[in-house]
Amino acid sequence: MPISNLRVLSAILASSFALPSFASTLSVGPGKTYAAPCAAIARAAAGDTIEIAGGMTYSGDVCAIGKNNLTIRGVNGRARIDAAGANAQGKGTWVVIGNNVVIENVEMFGAKVPDQNGAALRLEGTNFTLRGSFIHDNENGILAGANTASNILIETTDFGHNGNGTGYTHNVYIGNVASLTFRANYSHDANGGHDLKSRAILNTIVYNRFSSTPDGQTGTTASGKPSYEIDLPNAGTSYVIGNVIEQPAGSANQTMLAYGEEGVTNPGQDLYVVNNTFLNDDTSGGTFVMPGSGVTKPVLLQNNIFAGIGTMSSQSGSLDRTNYRSIAPGFVNRIAYDLHPIASALIVDAGSAPGLSASGFALAPTAQYVHAASSETRTVSGSIDIGAYEAVAAVTTTPTVTWTTCASENGVCRFSGTTQVRYGANNAYVTKTATGSIACNNATFGDPAPNVVKSCQYAR
């Protein structure tokens, strides 16, 4: 047999008897195989899952994540990772070098490095997913380098009070990657920088809340003074759909959504701003949407609420379709961020069908933000409402249901089993399903009958 054929046969036999590869699950925490996450990360093989016991803080546990296809998640509670003065490679807490890494259910804070550009998550690999996490009080929450082969998904995560105050560090910074999908997140109180900055070629920013607490107040983090709420400095095909975008009174910049202001270097320059609720709490004014001077394609603005004082768009040729402008639109509870519109012929069923983008992307929202860092299906009855939310339908009594009063406003309605409970007055009610008891107040139900004393009733 020729030598070349012998070599081929040897290769086939070697592959036939190779041992199969199986992914493993590595356990981290008290009494587990590994005491801290980075020890497990160092031992993991490509494709493994690392499960970190939640409800605990792992201090100073910093490292590079070099293997591909890892899943790292907190279990039985959220795993807390405190950089505690340490850093990996001078870059941050976890430096993600591997490809296709997924991180879930972690809390990360305290990332600081000598050059003041540290990040809880420094992304250097190709493709990355983060979900269900809390990233706060770092110099950067996420810092992703340029990689035009990389697709990044970030969803159901709370980003708060990241940034070192210089304006050059942010809650989330994404370099020139192939795509960013930013979905159902709560990004707020950036410390001097942006709530979200992305140079991605394709941006899909949907069903998020961008906001900040008033000066001196504390929510999930301390209050902050962000610059832009959303910054897309190099343009790119960008969908901004179904978001709550609020500028606080103490903002460091009066622009809320900036697009292409650093130069239109991405191949696309089409921006679709559809069914968002913009809130400008800066009474001195501002700009809701600011396309840069190099953006020549008209920006689509459709079905948005623009609340407060300010210029809707700095681009004179922007397409203005069925948007609603008001200093103070009627919301169920503006202070509590229940931004479902109250009955108004100017908002309810007043939107227009957004159709498809130039590339065939469906522009109509299919979900709406739920606090904190979640979303729910958006159900449209009739024509779509303007803004990020459909109106809450009032429910009236029908002959087949007997309603029994169970609590006055701000009381607690108690009953047996699971049933429908309605809250309101004068035939204007909001109904929820509850088991055993439910708080009878605006925070739970919204306010279906403003300036009227309300009560709760359960169905039987």
Side-chain angles (χ1 to χ4, degrees):
M1 182 179 290
I3 292 175
S4 60
N5 289 347
L6 285 172
R7 287 174 177 166
V8 171
L9 179 60
S10 297
I12 292 172
L13 289 171
S15 63
S16 298
F17 290 100
L19 292 175
S21 176
F22 296 101
S24 299
T25 297
L26 288 66
S27 297
V28 175
K32 306 294 185 181
T33 306
Y34 302 95
C38 284
I41 289 167
R43 293 297 301 273
D48 283 353
T49 296
I50 298 170
E51 294 189 339
I52 309 168
M56 292 192 55
T57 300
Y58 302 87
S59 294
D61 196 52
V62 302
C63 56
I65 301 171
K67 302 293 174 42
N68 298 334
N69 304 306
L70 293 184
T71 297
I72 304 169
R73 65 166 68 104
V75 293
N76 300 318
R78 187 171 279 163
R80 298 190 298 270
I81 314 299
D82 179 5
N87 69 78
Q89 303 180 354
K91 297 176 180 179
T93 305
W94 286 353
V95 181
V96 183
I97 301 169
N99 302 330
N100 306 309
V101 171
V102 177
I103 296 177
E104 301 174 330
N105 199 31
V106 299
E107 177 179 352
M108 302 183 71
F109 53 98
K112 295 181 180 180
V113 300
D115 70 3
Q116 298 186 321
N117 202 32
L121 291 164
R122 180 73 172 261
L123 307 185
E124 298 183 352
T126 299
N127 301 336
F128 175 77
T129 297
L130 174 71
R131 60 170 60 96
S133 295
F134 181 23
I135 312 296
H136 65 97
D137 294 289
N138 305 281
E139 288 178 327
N140 291 279
I142 290 181
L143 176 55
N147 181 349
T148 56
S150 185
N151 298 289
I152 295 175
L153 168 63
I154 301 170
E155 60 185 359
T156 58
T157 293
D158 182 340
F159 296 92
H161 207 251
N162 299 287
N164 61 20
T166 64
Y168 298 104
T169 53
H170 314 285
N171 268 352
V172 180
Y173 175 90
I174 305 297
N176 188 216
V177 301
S179 72
L180 167 69
T181 299
F182 196 79
R183 179 171 60 212
N185 300 294
Y186 177 36
S187 188
H188 59 102
D189 294 292
N191 186 24
H194 307 315
D195 285 332
L196 171 62
K197 181 168 186 172
S198 173
R199 300 183 189 273
I201 295 168
L202 170 64
N203 294 286
T204 305
I205 302 168
V206 291
Y207 321 129
N208 306 283
R209 173 175 155 185
F210 302 91
S211 70
S212 296
T213 53
D215 253 353
Q217 292 188 16
T218 299
T220 60
T221 68
S223 61
K225 293 185 177 181
S227 185
Y228 303 140
E229 277 62 49
I230 303 173
D231 184 22
L232 309 174
N234 300 129
T237 298
S238 299
Y239 303 102
V240 181
I241 300 173
N243 302 281
V244 174
I245 306 171
E246 179 255 355
Q247 176 170 259
S251 176
N253 192 303
Q254 288 191 311
T255 295
M256 300 173 71
L257 168 56
Y259 179 77
E261 89 286 357
E262 292 184 22
V264 183
T265 57
N266 279 327
Q269 55 166 298
D270 43 339
L271 172 62
Y272 302 88
V273 183
V274 179
N275 275 100
N276 302 280
T277 295
F278 287 83
L279 308 170
N280 186 12
D281 291 337
D282 188 339
T283 56
S284 64
T287 302
F288 292 99
V289 180
M290 185 187 74
S293 60
V295 178
T296 58
K297 185 172 181 178
V299 170
L300 174 64
L301 307 173
Q302 186 167 355
N303 296 345
N304 301 285
I305 292 175
F306 295 100
I309 300 171
T311 301
M312 186 169 69
S313 173
S314 62
Q315 184 191 60
S316 60
S318 294
L319 303 177
D320 179 0
R321 297 178 181 168
T322 53
N323 297 293
Y324 179 69
R325 292 293 312 272
S326 175
I327 299 297
F331 298 119
V332 168
N333 190 334
R334 166 64 181 84
I335 299 300
Y337 281 90
D338 186 343
L339 302 177
H340 294 84
I342 60 174
S344 168
L346 299 176
I347 298 177
V348 178
D349 291 337
S352 54
L356 305 177
S357 72
S359 63
F361 184 92
L363 298 173
T366 58
Q368 52 196 20
Y369 176 81
V370 173
H371 201 60
S374 186
S375 66
E376 64 185 7
T377 299
R378 178 167 180 158
T379 302
V380 177
S381 177
S383 297
I384 193 169
D385 294 350
I386 295 174
Y389 293 92
E390 288 293 299
V392 176
V395 177
T396 56
T397 304
T398 65
T400 57
V401 177
T402 299
W403 294 98
T404 300
T405 300
C406 52
S408 300
E409 184 173 354
N410 296 320
V412 176
C413 175
R414 304 183 190 279
F415 44 88
S416 298
T418 299
T419 188
Q420 296 286 306
V421 180
R422 70 178 191 175
Y423 171 73
N426 300 331
N427 291 322
Y429 293 95
V430 172
T431 301
K432 291 182 177 288
T433 300
T435 301
S437 65
I438 190 170
C440 182
N441 54 37
N442 292 346
T444 302
F445 289 88
D447 191 350
N451 304 314
V452 175
V453 175
K454 292 165 281 295
S455 65
C456 280
Q457 301 169 343
Y458 66 86
R460 61 182 179 87

